[in-house]
Amino acid sequence: MQTRIPCVLMRGGTSKGPFFLASDLPDDPELRDQVLLNLMGSPDNRQIDGIGGADSLTSKVAIVSPSARDDADVDYLFAQVVVDDAIVDTGPTCGNMLSGVGPYAIEQGLVTASAPETVVRIYNVNIDAMIEAIVQTPGGEVTYEGDTAIDGVPGTAAPVPLAFTGCVGSKTGKLLPTGNVRDKICGIEVSCVDVVMPCVIAHAVDMGKTGYETKAELDADADFFRRLEDIRLEASELMGMGDASGRVIPKFIIVAPPKAGGAFAARYFVPTSTHAGMALSGSLCLASASVIRGSTVEDIATVPKGTAVPDGTRRRFKIEHPLGLIEVMLETAGTDEAPDILRAATVRTCRRLFEGQVLVSDTVWAGKEAAGERAA
C-alpha cells in the first residue's frame, strides 16, 4: 500500500521540484525527511524510484504553510534532497525555488489575489528572512505567461520580482562570520560572507582555474573538488558553523574579472559539483561581498556606480555564470569597510508544471523504514 500526498511540480527560476503544503507532510522532521527521500528516490544517482531529476538543481522541495507572523502571509521551508546520499538538508535556502512560492500560495488559497498583481510576503524559515514577491495576477488569477527571459531557462514567462530584507547573517548572525574581510585557509585567501547564504569566496586563479570554465570542465577535476572541500570544511569551523561534512553549506564560489559585460564572473558549487548557472541566494551574497572593501570579490569586480536612494545607495549588478548573466539590485548604507545591506533583489520566473498526488510507501509514512536501512 502507498500513501497519497497532494503535490504540485514547479519550475522556480533555474531549479525544479515538488511543492507541498506543510499540513500534507508529517509534523516530525525526521519522519518528514524520510518521506522526502522516498518520494524523490534518494539515495540513487538516477533517482529512478522517485520524482527527483537526478541533479542537485532538480532535487529540491518547497514546503509552504500559512504564517503565524503578523508581517508575513506564508512560511517557506526549503529542503535540498541529496541525490546519492540519504540526506535532506534544510540548512540553506533556494532563491530560485522561492520564485514559485508566491504563485503556489495564491493558487492553493493561502493568499487572496488582487489585480493586476499581488504582493506575497514570505517568511523564509531556513534563513529567518523576509521576502516580498510580486506575482502577476491580472483579473485576480495567476498568470505564468510573460515576456521576461532569464539565462538558463528557454523562452519567456511572467516576471516574479523578489526582494530580501533582514538577510545579513542568515546562519551566523554576522556579515563577516570570521571577523575578517579575508582569511587564509589551506594556503588560499578567501572571504567568508553571510548574506542570504553563507559563502566562502576565492579567486579562481588561486584555485588553479580561470573562472570561465564550463560546468563539465570543472566537474571533471576531482583534485579541484578535494581542495575545495578541505577549504570549505575549515572555513565552516572558522565561521562558527561547526562540521560541514554531509551538509551543503557554507557554499564555495570562485570569482574572476568580468569578460562578458558583467561586474565579475563566478562559478558556484553545490558543493560536490558545479551549479549549472548561478544560485539566486549566492548571487545576492556575491553582490554584497563586492561592496566590502578588500574582499576577494571587490578587488576583481567592476562595481557599478550607485544611485542615491532615501536610505542609502542602490546598485545594479550583472554577474557572469556558465549560462549567461543574472542581475541583482542591492541597496546599502554605511561605509565601504562595513556596509549595511538593506535590501537585495532580483527577478526570476516560474511555471506550474504538474499537479496531482505523489505516492509514498506506507512503511515509510509510518516511520518503519530507517534512513540507514534505505541507504543499505
Side-chain angles (χ1 to χ4, degrees):
M1 298 294 292
Q2 298 186 86
T3 297
R4 299 173 182 270
I5 308 172
C7 169
V8 174
L9 184 68
M10 297 188 74
R11 174 186 64 78
T14 54
S15 295
K16 182 169 64 177
F19 282 59
F20 296 101
L21 292 175
S23 57
D24 289 330
L25 293 172
D27 292 330
D28 177 68
E30 185 176 350
L31 178 55
R32 178 202 65 208
D33 290 353
Q34 292 306 308
V35 168
L36 295 181
L37 286 167
N38 183 262
L39 67 88
M40 295 298 279
S42 292
D44 175 62
N45 61 11
R46 292 194 299 152
Q47 291 184 318
I48 192 64
D49 200 33
I51 63 172
D55 184 279
S56 63
L57 302 189
T58 54
S59 188
K60 299 182 173 186
V61 176
I63 303 171
V64 183
S65 60
S67 183
R69 296 170 60 103
D70 293 335
D71 59 351
D73 300 309
V74 294
D75 292 347
Y76 160 54
L77 178 68
F78 168 70
Q80 179 72 62
V81 180
V82 177
V83 173
D84 57 358
D85 205 346
I87 295 172
V88 177
D89 196 344
T90 56
T93 189
C94 177
N96 278 296
M97 289 286 280
L98 174 66
S99 63
V101 172
Y104 174 80
I106 293 170
E107 293 187 315
Q108 294 301 122
L110 303 182
V111 176
T112 301
S114 54
E117 59 187 27
T118 303
V119 176
V120 181
R121 302 171 303 163
I122 303 166
Y123 173 62
N124 195 317
V125 178
N126 308 78
I127 60 173
D128 187 27
M130 290 297 305
I131 301 96
E132 184 179 273
I134 301 176
V135 182
Q136 304 306 302
T137 50
E141 295 186 356
V142 175
T143 181
Y144 296 96
E145 302 298 321
D147 57 7
T148 297
I150 60 174
D151 288 340
V153 177
T156 62
V160 184
L162 301 168
F164 289 70
T165 58
C167 52
V168 173
S170 64
K171 288 299 176 182
T172 66
K174 301 175 183 178
L175 175 67
L176 299 171
T178 69
N180 304 314
V181 175
R182 291 197 191 208
D183 295 278
K184 183 168 280 190
I185 302 176
C186 301
I188 302 295
E189 285 197 341
V190 299
S191 288
C192 299
V193 182
D194 185 1
V195 178
V196 182
M197 179 72 70
C199 295
V200 183
I201 311 165
H203 288 151
V205 67
D206 290 344
M207 295 292 293
K209 300 297 179 184
T210 65
Y212 314 119
E213 289 87 357
T214 65
K215 170 179 167 59
E217 289 170 338
L218 290 166
D219 286 349
D221 191 341
D223 288 340
F224 169 77
F225 277 94
R226 279 191 286 270
R227 292 181 65 208
L228 180 160
E229 187 66 357
D230 287 344
I231 297 169
R232 193 181 75 90
L233 293 178
E234 187 171 334
S236 181
E237 297 285 357
L238 292 175
M239 296 167 77
M241 298 176 61
D243 185 4
S245 301
R247 295 166 49 220
V248 301
I249 58 172
K251 300 293 189 181
F252 195 91
I253 309 173
I254 57 174
V255 293
K259 65 178 294 186
F264 53 89
R267 298 296 185 264
Y268 184 91
F269 304 96
V270 290
T272 57
S273 64
T274 310
H275 195 294
M278 171 55 63
L280 185 152
S281 52
S283 70
L284 300 182
C285 187
L286 281 167
S288 301
S290 74
V291 299
I292 302 172
R293 182 167 295 164
S295 76
T296 52
V297 187
E298 186 267 345
D299 65 357
I300 56 91
T302 303
V303 177
K305 184 178 180 180
T307 59
V309 293
D311 294 326
T313 302
R314 177 180 295 161
R315 293 181 176 87
R316 292 188 178 274
F317 297 81
K318 289 185 178 180
I319 301 172
E320 301 169 14
H321 59 77
L323 297 178
L325 298 165
I326 184 171
E327 186 172 23
V328 174
M329 184 275 290
L330 196 68
E331 289 186 12
T332 62
T335 67
D336 292 342
E337 288 77 13
D340 186 7
I341 310 300
L342 304 176
R343 185 179 175 92
T346 191
V347 175
R348 299 278 85 187
T349 66
C350 68
R351 188 161 80 92
R352 192 177 180 102
L353 302 172
F354 171 86
E355 57 185 67
Q357 297 173 325
V358 63
L359 305 181
V360 174
S361 166
D362 279 349
T363 59
V364 173
W365 185 266
K368 296 177 182 178
E369 186 173 349
E373 294 171 350
R374 181 166 175 79

